[in-house]
Amino acid sequence: MKNAKLTLTALFVITMIAFFACASGPKAKVVELENKGTGMRISAPRWISTYVEHGINRLQSQSEYRDKYCIVGEETGVNKQFVLAWADHFNAQQRIGAMLRTTISTNYNAKVQGLAQTSGLAGTTPSAGTYQQEIDNIINTVINVSYSGAQRESDWWSLRRRYDPDKKDAYTDEYTAYVLYTIPKSQLDVQVARALETTVDRDSALYDITIEMARQILQDGITNWGAE
């Protein structure tokens, strides 16, 4: 009887191990075959390893970028010439606009919800009718401003081989290009604050919120920069 219990216990343990192995699934193996520095035996710059492993927020916190906003472009494809051409023509303005859209939208969300609570207007949120439409109009205007001061700092490319975990000897090769631009925080802060101030009408329900947001940007910088 005792042996039977041990056998059942062993079977249960084996079954659970198999279950978790199947649930988690095999992970694809990724190997770097080549990169921009291979021919000259140059290691990848620190900004690349930081960005790839930890994202733009960690990159932004590095000492050399403390007074700058980082803008990183990334493109992946099977054709090397295509991704390198993309890197050569990378548009920093579009990326700045995309990042501003996220952070300004998030800030409006928080401020309008705060206004609803303090004024007792339950259920008043940025998605309520005219608020959302006006927010969208302001954001669309702000992100289409041509911001000056962005400088191209560096670029990099890498060729990686990704093995299919379910098929032995099956793999795909992909090139990834990265481009790093920076812009002085003080310079972009002033431009964004000015864009916000000149975009909102004085009779708008969002006027006070927008002016407050502009002043906070001038004082503290653009919050949530890099959030997606």
Side-chain angles (χ1 to χ4, degrees), residues 60 65-71 92-93 96 146-153 180-189 191-192 222 225:
Q60 189 71 61
Y65 304 123
R66 203 158 288 165
D67 297 325
K68 302 176 181 179
Y69 291 115
C70 293
I71 303 104
Q93 291 289 337
I96 291 172
S146 181
Y147 295 101
S148 62
Q151 297 291 326
R152 187 183 182 110
E153 296 276 350
L180 171 65
Y181 275 75
T182 62
I183 184 170
K185 287 184 177 180
S186 58
Q187 189 170 357
L188 185 59
D189 290 343
Q191 293 179 80
V192 173
I222 302 171
W225 178 261

Side-chain angles (χ1 to χ4, degrees), residues 137-202:
N137 291 339
I138 292 172
I139 291 176
N140 286 334
T141 301
V142 170
I143 68 172
N144 284 316
V145 171
S146 181
Y147 295 101
S148 62
Q151 297 291 326
R152 187 183 182 110
E153 296 276 350
S154 182
D155 60 74
W156 194 255
W157 62 263
S158 175
L159 170 61
R160 296 186 181 92
R161 175 164 292 176
R162 185 182 301 273
Y163 291 89
D164 189 326
D166 298 320
K167 297 178 182 178
K168 189 177 180 180
D169 300 328
Y171 60 85
T172 55
D173 291 345
E174 289 184 332
Y175 289 90
T176 302
Y178 305 91
V179 186
L180 171 65
Y181 275 75
T182 62
I183 184 170
K185 287 184 177 180
S186 58
Q187 189 170 357
L188 185 59
D189 290 343
V190 169
Q191 293 179 80
V192 173
R194 178 60 178 165
L196 284 167
E197 290 173 347
T198 56
T199 298
V200 65
D201 294 330
R202 285 186 173 274

